[in-house]
Amino acid sequence: MASVTCTFDVRTTMTNHFYCCEAKNQDIPINAIFTGKHRLGENNRRVKSIFINLCRMTIIPQTLGLTFVNIRNLYINNSSLKSITKFDLVNIEHLERIHVIGNDIEFLPGDLFEFTKKVKYLQFGRNKIKYIGPNILEGLDVRSASFSGNVNINCWYCEGKLPNNAISLEQLKWKIRNYCEPPMDERELLKTYGRNPDDGHSIPKKKPRLN
């Protein structure tokens, strides 16, 4: 297994203080081991926010949620992430906020949040999204959701107000259904992105036949 070196710090928002882990500018394989030196008195269980910036990864490793069991906020920015399934989030059951910005994702499955029903804030701006499963927001208490700057969708929703061309939640769901409909069964579509729909693992590429 490859080691990913993290830095740990406390970050402050307008209402909260979060103990955070950041990985920056490194490779993150699917079997990554996350290491680093904690602040005095802190440990992995205290980490609430994960920041992955300018890294090289294709899949979110399940070891992330096994290492940091109390993640509330997940940020993956400009890190070449190519796909995401519910199995990538299965060990992050307390997740409330997910920001996946500036990556290479083309498809978001409708069951993406099956194991993470506490998600309220979604940001998938500046990816390459063409297809979204129509039920992706069902069962969630969505406070804000952004799909700005993608291929087939470019809009966002914010609860209680419509600033800067934001739309209503119902309008957002309508756009997902009408502009981002998957061209085939979602399970089969996942396979075209190299993912196994039954466990989220990568599907090995077939080796060329030798004559």
Side-chain angles (χ1 to χ4, degrees):
M1 291 188 178
S3 177
V4 174
T5 302
C6 304
T7 58
F8 297 93
D9 203 354
V10 175
R11 299 193 183 187
T12 303
T13 67
M14 293 180 64
T15 57
N16 289 298
H17 301 275
F18 289 108
Y19 188 50
C20 306
C21 165
E22 181 178 19
K24 188 174 183 179
N25 195 25
Q26 55 191 303
D27 295 326
I28 301 182
I30 61 174
N31 58 352
I33 295 177
F34 295 88
T35 64
K37 185 177 180 179
H38 282 285
R39 291 165 62 103
L40 184 64
E42 302 287 5
N43 56 56
N44 286 347
R45 295 184 64 85
R46 296 273 294 166
V47 172
K48 298 294 180 64
S49 298
I50 300 291
F51 293 85
I52 298 175
N53 296 314
L54 300 172
C55 289
R56 295 166 295 279
M57 61 192 300
T58 57
I59 295 174
I60 300 172
Q62 292 187 2
T63 52
L64 181 67
L66 293 173
T67 305
F68 307 107
V69 297
N70 290 310
I71 298 172
R72 301 304 198 270
N73 309 299
L74 177 61
Y75 302 83
I76 302 177
N77 300 324
N78 303 305
S79 293
S80 304
L81 186 66
K82 297 186 183 305
S83 65
I84 182 171
T85 79
K86 63 183 180 182
F87 296 105
D88 301 336
L89 306 177
V90 67
N91 298 316
I92 314 178
E93 61 185 18
H94 302 297
L95 189 66
E96 297 177 1
R97 183 185 302 269
I98 180 168
H99 285 209
V100 180
I101 303 171
N103 291 282
D104 297 327
I105 294 173
E106 295 185 6
F107 170 47
L108 296 175
D111 63 357
L112 179 59
F113 300 112
E114 180 175 331
F115 304 129
T116 49
K117 291 298 186 182
K118 296 179 182 179
V119 168
K120 297 180 174 66
Y121 306 94
L122 308 84
Q123 165 64 272
F124 288 96
R126 293 188 289 108
N127 280 276
K128 301 176 181 178
I129 295 172
K130 300 177 182 177
Y131 314 118
I132 303 175
N135 298 320
I136 190 169
L137 301 180
E138 297 305 317
L140 301 181
D141 180 19
V142 180
R143 306 294 176 83
S144 68
S146 175
F147 299 92
S148 299
N150 283 284
V151 176
N152 286 351
I153 189 168
N154 179 29
C155 57
W156 66 290
Y157 157 75
C158 183
E159 183 183 54
K161 53 185 177 180
L162 299 178
N164 299 325
N165 300 318
I167 61 177
S168 70
L169 183 57
E170 290 307 311
Q171 287 173 316
L172 176 58
K173 291 179 179 179
W174 185 90
K175 285 181 177 289
I176 290 173
R177 290 194 303 269
N178 287 274
Y179 294 150
C180 302
E181 181 180 3
M184 62 181 75
D185 177 79
E186 290 188 38
R187 290 173 57 83
E188 295 303 313
L189 185 56
L190 265 181
K191 294 177 184 178
T192 70
Y193 290 102
R195 304 300 300 272
N196 186 329
D198 293 315
D199 59 18
H201 292 166
S202 294
I203 299 175
K205 293 182 179 179
K206 293 182 179 179
K207 295 182 179 179
R209 291 184 61 182
L210 299 177
N211 295 327

